[in-house]
Amino acid sequence: MAYAWVLWFSFRRYSAYRLAALGEAVSNTVFGFVRGYVLLALWQATPGLGGYTATDAITFSFLTQAMIGPVQIFGGMELTQRIRTGDVSIDLHRPADLQLWWLADDLGRALYTVIGRGTIPMFAGWLAFGILFPPAERWPAFLLSLLLAVVLGFSIRYVISILVFWLTDSRALDSVAIVCSLFLSGMILPLVAFPGPFQTAVRALPWSGLIQVPADVYLGRSPDLLGSFAFQAGWAAVLLLAGRLLTRAAHRKLVIQGG
């Protein structure tokens, strides 16, 4: 129950900054239009690219803008700063698992951003372009895929944060992680537009589970739903295990900066 409370209070903490969430939602919407017109021009020049229609492409644009917040494409974790300042020593003294604590915190954040930042871009895309909404029976599959994407995104960011115990500075890793998250997830350009062998290689990496896989489920372009879920869950499990092993090692070798 402790982790449920962490999730709830995280949701309340992020919901306190409603004007900030509104500003981010408006920004995401503006970039949804920018990306949407770029993708629309690309699909009009090459109809049926990657099996997507032009409507699929414009829907992909606004959907992925709505997913930026929940999946946290651009952001790191508060844990990184706590390690650098030494405040993580307080976290390690709590009678709770460090990884599960921050996972619950991240789920609370993601839950609020789905509501606070995800609805406006989708509504604007529907008004301007009539973007697609999946039938009722597809919503549970998409929401499950989105949840797995959130957990997968957390597992990647958690590993990067824990490495700060040894590196003491995560700026280089954060920069690499953001580049990978943008280009290898489908955020910049849908992975379906990549050439065959390169697309196959990129789709095998964990970042594709953040954006491309949930988007395909949403659009009904995922021929194997169980395979999609297994891909996301498998990578999340591997990275969560890596994070747990690193956390145990950090307990044995703790360097506190400024504490």
Side-chain angles (χ1 to χ4, degrees):
M1 289 299 295
Y3 303 112
W5 280 109
V6 172
L7 188 154
W8 170 241
F9 282 113
S10 175
F11 178 88
R12 291 186 60 187
R13 177 160 65 100
Y14 282 94
S15 65
Y17 303 99
R18 296 174 185 173
L19 286 179
L22 178 60
E24 291 168 338
V26 171
S27 175
N28 291 342
T29 302
V30 171
F31 278 99
F33 279 97
V34 173
R35 291 180 62 226
Y37 279 115
V38 170
L39 293 182
L40 194 59
L42 176 61
W43 256 263
Q44 287 177 345
T46 54
L49 178 62
Y52 274 24
T53 65
T55 304
D56 289 335
I58 199 73
T59 301
F60 183 94
S61 174
F62 283 93
L63 173 65
T64 53
Q65 288 298 128
M67 291 172 58
I68 286 178
V71 178
Q72 196 78 330
I73 286 289
F74 293 100
M77 288 185 63
E78 184 183 344
L79 174 61
T80 302
Q81 184 63 21
R82 293 182 67 82
I83 294 174
R84 293 186 68 247
T85 60
D87 290 339
V88 70
S89 59
I90 299 173
D91 301 338
L92 294 173
H93 279 86
R94 291 193 183 108
D97 182 89
L98 182 71
Q99 188 180 42
L100 291 179
W101 178 283
W102 284 99
L103 174 58
D105 180 83
D106 203 58
L107 289 175
R109 175 204 59 78
L111 179 60
Y112 176 71
T113 53
V114 167
I115 302 169
R117 292 179 59 179
T119 53
I120 293 178
M122 296 298 289
F123 182 68
W126 176 73
L127 285 179
F129 297 100
I131 64 172
L132 300 172
F133 286 98
E137 63 271 14
R138 198 186 302 155
W139 276 103
F142 168 67
L143 293 177
L144 175 58
S145 185
L146 179 60
L147 174 61
L148 291 172
V150 170
V151 176
L152 177 56
F154 164 81
S155 66
I156 295 172
R157 289 180 286 112
Y158 183 83
V159 167
I160 294 172
S161 295
I162 290 297
L163 288 175
V164 178
F165 274 107
W166 291 271
L167 301 177
T168 69
D169 192 338
S170 68
R171 283 176 293 184
L173 275 178
D174 286 340
S175 299
V176 172
I178 289 175
V179 170
C180 290
S181 295
L182 286 173
F183 287 95
L184 303 180
S185 67
M187 189 68 223
I188 296 296
L189 184 68
L191 299 185
V192 296
F194 289 2
F198 183 65
Q199 180 183 157
T200 301
V202 171
R203 278 183 173 271
L205 299 175
W207 291 280
S208 67
L210 300 179
I211 295 293
Q212 188 65 54
V213 173
D216 281 341
V217 173
Y218 180 95
L219 293 169
R221 298 292 181 175
S222 179
D224 181 10
L225 284 178
L226 292 180
S228 298
F229 300 151
F231 173 82
Q232 291 177 288
W235 268 116
V238 168
L239 291 167
L240 287 172
L241 177 60
R244 181 158 295 276
L245 294 175
L246 287 171
T247 303
R248 290 180 180 177
H251 274 276
R252 295 193 297 269
K253 183 179 181 180
L254 175 60
V255 177
I256 298 179
Q257 297 285 325

